[in-house]
């Protein structure tokens, strides 16, 4: 459906936030032989079958409430100067995994990384710049059936972080831009390419994880005059949980008329 609504709430409610990372590397990357035995939390994608969501086209996954204290489950490795905490999450047959936190607090000099088991896809480091009063934080989907959460902190630090994993998103379907907006690879327009977004959200009171396309509006890329307004389809996000919604900007297909989307 091409009838659109204006989504202004994201940018003006106090619950909205961005993912801020410094693109550094985790300390475990320095290990020549990374053969540490760490704990893995195992889940099964098939456990979501038959729950009544199958007919919803923009459904991409299901969130499982877990309420896990990261530090109670993670494996601790001590070096001369740092403490390294490792925890693996595996979802059998999943296309991707997403994590969101109910209580997220990182003190100074503390860094959190989330990456696929093969380290081909990595997000972080997340630092204290992501601390919010409400304590919520969501990390974008990692395309793998197993992900690693790694926290690095100085051994001398006296203030401990707080990381309560609220929900594990089991993603079983790739997101796609769909037919609501023009395919930017079929239109040679820089301003159009910059405007396309994809957003991923849970609905309040539901375990369903949804993906929808959208578009930035009133953007003048050439003059760097950018407005915080998003159009999205009327059937998308009416009850979105904005505290944990994730937005992907410069979202586009790989090629013209390709059905698979990539992240910009």
């Amino acid at each position: 459906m091409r009838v659109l609504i204006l989504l202004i709430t994201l940018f003006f409610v106090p619950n909205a936030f961005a993912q801020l990372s410094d693109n550094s590397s985790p300390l475990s990357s320095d290990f020549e032989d990374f053969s540490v035995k760490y704990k893995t939390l195992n889940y099964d994608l098939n456990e979501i079958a038959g729950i009544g969501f199958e007919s919803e086209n923009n459904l991409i996954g299901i969130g499982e409430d877990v309420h896990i204290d990261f530090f109670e489950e993670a494996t601790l490795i001590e070096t001369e100067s740092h403490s390294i905490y490792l925890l693996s999450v595996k979802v059998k047959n999943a296309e991707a995994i997403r994590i969101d936190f109910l209580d997220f607090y990182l003190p100074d000099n503390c860094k959190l990384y989330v990456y696929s088991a093969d380290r081909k896809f990595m997000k972080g480091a997340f630092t204290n710049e992501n601390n919010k009063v409400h304590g919520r934080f969501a990390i974008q989907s990692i395309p793998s059936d197993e992900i690693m959460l790694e926290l690095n902190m100085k051994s001398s630090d006296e203030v401990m972080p707080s990381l309560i994993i609220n929900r594990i998103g089991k993603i079983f379907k790739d997101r796609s831009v769909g037919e609501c907006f023009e395919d930017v690879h079929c239109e040679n327009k820089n301003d159009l390419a910059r405007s396309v977004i994809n957003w991923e959200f849970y609905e309040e009171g539901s375990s369903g994880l949804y993906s929808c396309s959208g578009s930035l509006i009133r953007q003048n890329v050439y003059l760097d005059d950018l407005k915080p307004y998003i159009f999205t389809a009327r059937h998308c996000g009416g009850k979105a949980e904005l505290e944990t919604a994730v937005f992907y900007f410069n979202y586009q297909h790989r090629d013209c008329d390709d059905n698979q989307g990539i992240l910009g």
Side-chain angles (χ1 to χ4, degrees):
M1 179 179 294
R2 292 178 179 270
V3 179
L4 305 176
I5 61 172
L6 180 62
L7 181 67
I8 304 177
T9 312
L10 168 71
F11 296 94
F12 293 100
V13 296
N15 290 330
F17 57 91
Q19 293 184 350
L20 303 175
S21 60
D22 64 9
N23 297 316
S24 60
S25 298
L27 292 177
S28 63
S29 299
D30 297 333
F31 296 166
E32 293 183 3
D33 180 20
F34 188 63
S35 57
V36 176
K37 291 184 178 180
Y38 48 80
K39 185 171 183 178
T40 299
L41 303 178
N42 289 286
Y43 298 88
D44 192 339
L45 178 64
N46 294 329
E47 294 175 359
I48 69 174
I51 61 174
F53 288 98
E54 290 81 356
S55 62
E56 301 188 40
N57 293 330
N58 60 328
L59 179 80
I60 62 169
I62 300 295
E64 179 172 339
D65 294 330
V66 293
H67 204 81
I68 293 172
D69 188 325
F70 172 81
F71 293 100
E72 290 183 359
E73 302 292 341
T75 299
L76 172 61
I77 303 170
E78 295 282 8
T79 69
E80 291 183 1
S81 59
H82 284 81
S83 298
I84 302 172
Y85 292 86
L86 297 169
L87 179 63
S88 168
V89 176
K90 187 170 185 177
V91 180
K92 185 179 179 181
N93 299 320
E95 292 288 334
I97 300 173
R98 173 183 145 141
I99 301 290
D100 67 84
F101 297 89
L102 180 63
D103 185 3
F104 182 95
Y105 172 75
L106 299 179
D108 292 344
N109 303 314
C110 186
K111 296 186 175 185
L112 174 68
Y113 301 86
V114 182
Y115 49 88
S116 57
D118 59 9
R119 294 179 179 256
K120 291 182 178 180
F121 194 94
M122 182 175 296
K123 298 301 296 183
F126 302 108
T127 66
N128 62 348
E129 291 185 341
N130 293 284
N131 294 342
K132 303 298 176 183
V133 175
H134 50 69
R136 304 292 293 275
F137 186 65
I139 296 173
Q140 75 174 70
S141 305
I142 305 293
S144 176
D145 64 354
E146 182 177 3
I147 64 172
M148 179 73 74
L149 285 80
E150 176 174 340
L151 184 131
N152 300 160
M153 60 183 295
K154 291 184 177 180
S155 301
S156 58
D157 288 345
E158 297 182 356
V159 180
M160 279 295 294
S162 178
L163 294 173
I164 304 297
I165 301 174
N166 179 44
R167 192 163 40 195
I168 294 175
K170 308 173 182 181
I171 297 176
F172 56 81
K173 183 169 65 175
D174 290 337
R175 66 177 64 81
S176 176
V177 172
E179 300 179 354
C180 291
F181 297 92
E182 295 178 82
D183 187 333
V184 301
H185 277 291
C186 302
E187 301 285 341
N188 188 20
K189 299 176 182 178
N190 183 51
D191 54 344
L192 177 62
R194 286 278 298 273
S195 71
V196 178
I197 66 112
N198 177 274
W199 65 304
E200 185 182 281
F201 59 92
Y202 288 102
E203 285 199 343
E204 293 181 351
S206 168
S207 59
L209 179 61
Y210 299 87
S211 175
C212 283
S213 57
S215 178
L216 294 167
I217 62 172
R218 298 193 66 183
Q219 311 297 310
N220 190 324
V221 176
Y222 301 103
L223 296 179
D224 200 27
D225 180 17
L226 307 179
K227 301 292 192 300
Y229 304 128
I230 289 178
F231 262 126
T232 189
R234 184 170 63 185
H235 61 268
C236 290
K239 298 180 180 179
E241 182 184 276
L242 292 177
E243 297 94 334
T244 57
V246 175
F247 286 72
Y248 302 94
F249 295 90
N250 196 28
Y251 185 81
Q252 55 192 268
H253 288 158
R254 295 181 176 89
D255 299 293
C256 181
D257 295 328
D258 187 357
N259 289 325
Q260 300 300 319
I262 60 175
L263 303 183

